[in-house]
Amino acid sequence: MATTNSFLNTPTKTPTSTSISKKHHHKQHAADPSRSGSEFKDRFEAYNRLQAAAVAFGEKLPIPEIVAIGGQSDGKSSLLEALLGFRFNVREVEMGTRRPLILQMVHDQSALEPRCRFQEEDSEEYGSPVVLASTIADTIKSRTESLLKRTRAAVSSKPIVMRAEYAHCPNLTIIDTPGFVLKAKKGEPERTPDEILSMVKSLASPPHRIILFLQQSSVEWCSSLWLDTIREIDPSFRRTVIVVSKFDNRLKEFTERWEVDRYLSASGYLGENTRPFFVALPKDRGTISNDEFRRQISQVDAEMLHYLRDSVKGGFDEEKYRSYVGFGCLRDFLEAELQRRYKEAAPATLALLEQRCGEVTADLAKMECKINATSDVAHLRKSAMLHAATLCNHVEALIDGAADPAPEQWGKTTEEERLESGIGSWPSVTGEIKPPNATLRLYGGAAFERVMHEFRCVTYSIKCPPVSREKVANILLAHTGRGGGRGITEAAAEIARAAARSWLAPLLDTACDRLAFVLGNLFDISIEKNHGNDSNNGHRPVDMEGYIGFHAALRQSYNHFMKDLSKECKQLLRHHLDSVTSPYSHVCYENNFIGSFSSGTNSMCQLNQATASPLCLELSDGGAALRKEAMKDQENIPPEKSAQETTPGKVTESRDALRECQMTVPETPSPDQPSDGNYGIKRELGNCVEVGARKRQPRITGNARNHGQNGESLLFGNGDNISRPVSTYAEICSSAAQHFARIREILVERSVASTLNSGFLTPCRERLFVALGLNLFAVNDEKFMDMFVAPGAIDSLENERQSLQKRQKILHSCLNEFKSVARAL
């Protein structure tokens, strides 16, 4: 009992009788009361100040720290209260808090009552002391709720720092983490357990931190819920201290020495060199004084030892396990271990502090230069031009092909491009067009080429639109009176040209808009690439942050440049379209059309030999019976005389032997011209056949086979191309479809690709910086400085300078303290 009470009275010295294993770096200490207490306290205070500064300024310093980890019912809250030496309802805090709590315990012999202060949020200063112990829990809960409400998160890794000065607490710093849970509490998001686990792992992962893992004794090692989590962080338990809590609940199960020794060794689960601590704490949660609380802690330790010595047959191996049984042993070990690590880390910490102080001083000097540069026109011009030039270089690199920044984040799929650009689907295209790689997130040159390929897919999916007989008649009959024998060809070509102008022009405009959108996205990607490259290379970018006016003008100038490119490309493509659809273009008269007729169909050279006589311009479907149905839609065509109405004495059979030179052809075409057997000779695809109802030659042409789908929709009647001859109307529509395909091929293959590449990509490589420079920098100083009138930016720089000055002061103060500590080592 006396041994246990002694550590509660004077906790300023490292224990002298504790046997410590090699695993935990235990050593025998020859205590020197005259110097050890003050030496440890000075070192501890120096690290506490450094830790407070690190929390306030977000410094990542490898300060030796203890991180307490455990489930929500494993006794972690009771252990913290026992270390502090007083109760403050931390159990309720643990059930409600979702933030780490850094407890800085400072042994102060003069503090007969606990003096607790909380560090202000985002500051290294501490608030006024908290008088009532119950107020501590309320403060922790209110700060947690305020931060989570502001950040809209379930948990937060931003710690709460509390400094406790007390005559009955050791010099110890512990980071208390939220307890592991399997299921979220009522009202919390379902992801809360996973977020707590992830946060605790991140807090325990740094190698300079000691992991204090608690697990209650009722849980067997083989069924531990969280032991595997500790193994993920520290596989060999090299820096892990394992504590078996509520050990008194397990004591009554032991009657023989071998049972106790086997349990205390934990062999087979933790390894030969890992020795857990076994502790028990008072269960009475009633209102008691701090002195009574500490007395009960000592009493529980004494009762455990008494049971192991007297109630277990043969006792237990005290030489091997005595230093691991009881709260007092754990507390002495933690304090000694932390002080040992403090002493070992002091040289490295001193060197790191000197480095950080030099960095902060350099940052402060650069900040002074920035503030002075806000009124220096020449400096601003230089910085702005460098920023714009860097942006243009990144745009060129992205066009040439790049994978940084991550395409998964900054790239877009084809569907996202359509939606975000506001352009939507391609005009006059009803089917869904999915180019290759449509689902991949691309940007820059890759996205540009995908849009180009998508345009090709769209244009080749469009066929020549159907044309009514009235339109064909109006065009064809007008051409027949002009002579030249090319009426059918001219009519078909004119129909194809009109269709190409009306159907392809919107597609060309849409392609330009889509490509302009793809290149316009490169502005934000280039900004991100600029930040990423500078941070990876260790170079500081040209700092133009805060100058909202300049960035807005730069973005506007860039967008204006892309719109001008789109407008120029539209004009060039429209010029190419007008050229290829001009009446003077020979595209429609070239013989190398896309595809070809089958062997049973005559070529267009034969078609061009057809006569221009109105008797040969039969636009109906060619059948007397079918012609009756056609009259419903063709009211302007007079009905054809039947075979009985043929003028007597004119034998139609004899006309089969007539040659072309013997036929009578009227000189003036007329839509009212009768089509009886006296004049009804027409040439279809170069073959003279009788048009009269008495003699019709059934034939199956290659046109009907190759273009059956189009021809059937263009012919009146039931679309039976096999049982009747192809009419002049069908021939013209078929020829127009071929002309349309030829125009499309010439336009897409010979003009569009080269025009879009030279109209978009080449200017982005060669003219972008010149265009931005003329818009932004080719102005007088007064107009140029209008972009840099940013009071908010100057205020931001001033605030940053003040923060750096404050940070410099704190770090220099910590550096001086560590120099004093280093001299005392």
Side-chain angles (χ1 to χ4, degrees), residues 16-27:
T16 60
S17 61
T18 303
S19 175
I20 301 175
S21 70
K22 180 180 180 181
K23 167 64 183 174
H24 291 300
H25 308 284
H26 287 199
K27 297 180 181 179

Side-chain angles (χ1 to χ4, degrees), residues 417 443-445 447-448 451 513-522:
E417 286 179 3
Y443 56 63
F448 187 93
V451 174
D513 292 336
R514 282 282 302 278
L515 293 175
F517 175 77
V518 167
L519 296 178
N521 286 335
L522 297 185

